[in-house]
């Protein structure tokens, strides 16, 4: 089974971070290639929020890439199979001027064909050009995908990151907070 990796429905809008776009862009992360950075990625949040509640999450949203908590990063970094497929980029999170370390950005290093384009709803952006891009409003995953993977980008829609059932089970077993795993 394949699951789309998304932030949970109960993730507060006030917890959206701003991404300091210096070394990479979100498009760089969609290439499924290793990225070499000189400095950690920086995310900031300057709002009156419960820092304790915010830091209880394991998955965070931003106006750039999403990122994960130090707790989840440590759990995943200790899985040798996982780190062969996903690069975890260092990130610093700044909340009301205070820096927090150990956060990571997922950079999937593989893509798989997994969307049933006949059953999904989409429209083309720049239709008829060599750079046709599909924008999906509804995704249905193929049931015949047999690839063994942990995390990947969908070939049909590179904005979509999917995870396998084995990673989903790790999230469940470890009470990972902040994910909505849509199948």
């Amino acid at each position: 089974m394949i699951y789309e990796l998304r932030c949970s429905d109960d993730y507060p809008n006030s917890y959206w971070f701003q991404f300091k776009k210096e070394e990479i862009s979100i498009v760089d992360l969609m290439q499924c290639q290793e990225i070499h950075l000189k400095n950690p990625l920086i995310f900031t949040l300057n709002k009156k929020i419960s820092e304790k509640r915010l830091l209880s999450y394991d998955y965070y949203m931003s106006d750039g890439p999403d990122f994960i908590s130090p707790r989840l990063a440590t759990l995943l970094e200790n899985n040798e199979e996982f780190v062969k497929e996903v690069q975890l980029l260092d990130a610093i999170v700044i909340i009301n001027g205070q820096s927090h370390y150990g956060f990571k950005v997922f950079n999937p290093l593989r893509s798989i064909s997994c969307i049933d384009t006949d059953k999904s709803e989409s429209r083309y952006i720049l239709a008829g050009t060599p750079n046709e891009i599909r924008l999906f409003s509804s995704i249905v995953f193929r049931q015949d995908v047999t690839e063994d993977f942990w995390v990947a980008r969908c070939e049909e829609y590179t904005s979509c990151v999917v995870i396998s059932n084995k990673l989903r089970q790790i999230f469940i077993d470890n009470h990972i907070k902040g994910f909505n795993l849509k199948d």
Side-chain angles (χ1 to χ4, degrees):
M1 189 121 219
I2 294 175
Y3 300 90
E4 182 179 359
L5 181 61
R6 297 174 51 175
C7 201
S8 67
D9 294 333
D10 68 345
Y11 188 84
N13 287 337
S14 60
Y15 291 2
W16 275 73
F17 284 81
Q18 290 76 48
F19 174 55
K20 188 174 181 182
K21 301 164 185 74
E22 288 186 351
E23 287 193 61
I24 67 165
S25 73
I26 192 74
V27 175
D28 295 326
L29 293 168
M30 292 181 188
Q31 305 303 311
C32 296
Q33 296 177 358
E34 199 165 317
I35 295 173
H36 301 282
L37 299 174
K38 294 178 185 169
N39 300 302
L41 302 172
I42 298 175
F43 297 88
T44 59
L45 183 67
N46 293 311
K47 294 183 179 178
K48 292 195 181 229
I49 46 96
S50 167
E51 193 170 316
K52 182 178 179 181
R53 183 168 179 247
L54 169 70
L55 294 175
S56 73
Y57 282 84
D58 293 297
Y59 189 73
Y60 299 92
M61 303 271 307
S62 83
D63 60 0
D66 298 340
F67 57 99
I68 61 173
S69 70
R71 178 175 89 95
L72 180 55
T74 300
L75 179 70
L76 297 174
E77 287 173 326
N78 290 327
N79 183 317
E80 291 179 23
E81 291 178 44
F82 176 85
V83 295
K84 289 179 185 175
E85 294 183 18
V86 179
Q87 179 185 20
L88 294 172
L89 301 168
D90 291 331
I92 297 173
V93 171
I94 302 170
I95 304 169
N96 293 322
Q98 183 178 354
S99 296
H100 299 268
Y101 301 89
F103 292 83
K104 303 283 183 176
V105 171
F106 273 159
N107 181 27
L109 300 175
R110 69 185 293 186
S111 64
I112 61 171
S113 178
C114 59
I115 295 177
D116 186 329
T117 54
D118 294 331
K119 294 180 182 174
S120 299
E121 293 179 28
S122 67
R123 65 180 174 86
Y124 282 104
I125 300 173
L126 304 173
T129 70
N131 296 325
E132 282 186 334
I133 299 170
R134 276 190 177 194
L135 180 61
F136 285 84
S137 56
S138 172
I139 295 173
V140 176
F141 293 112
R142 294 187 1 238
Q143 298 299 310
D144 63 345
V145 176
T146 58
E147 275 190 71
D148 185 29
F149 76 101
W150 287 86
V151 176
R153 288 200 177 272
C154 297
E155 286 180 8
E156 300 84 357
Y157 188 41
T158 57
S159 295
C160 181
V161 175
V162 292
I163 68 169
S164 65
N165 195 52
K166 59 187 173 183
L167 184 55
R168 178 181 179 269
Q169 195 58 51
I170 287 175
F171 290 169
I172 291 168
D173 293 346
N174 290 280
H175 308 288
I176 300 303
K177 185 177 177 185
F179 289 99
N180 182 12
L181 300 170
K182 179 183 176 255
D183 58 357

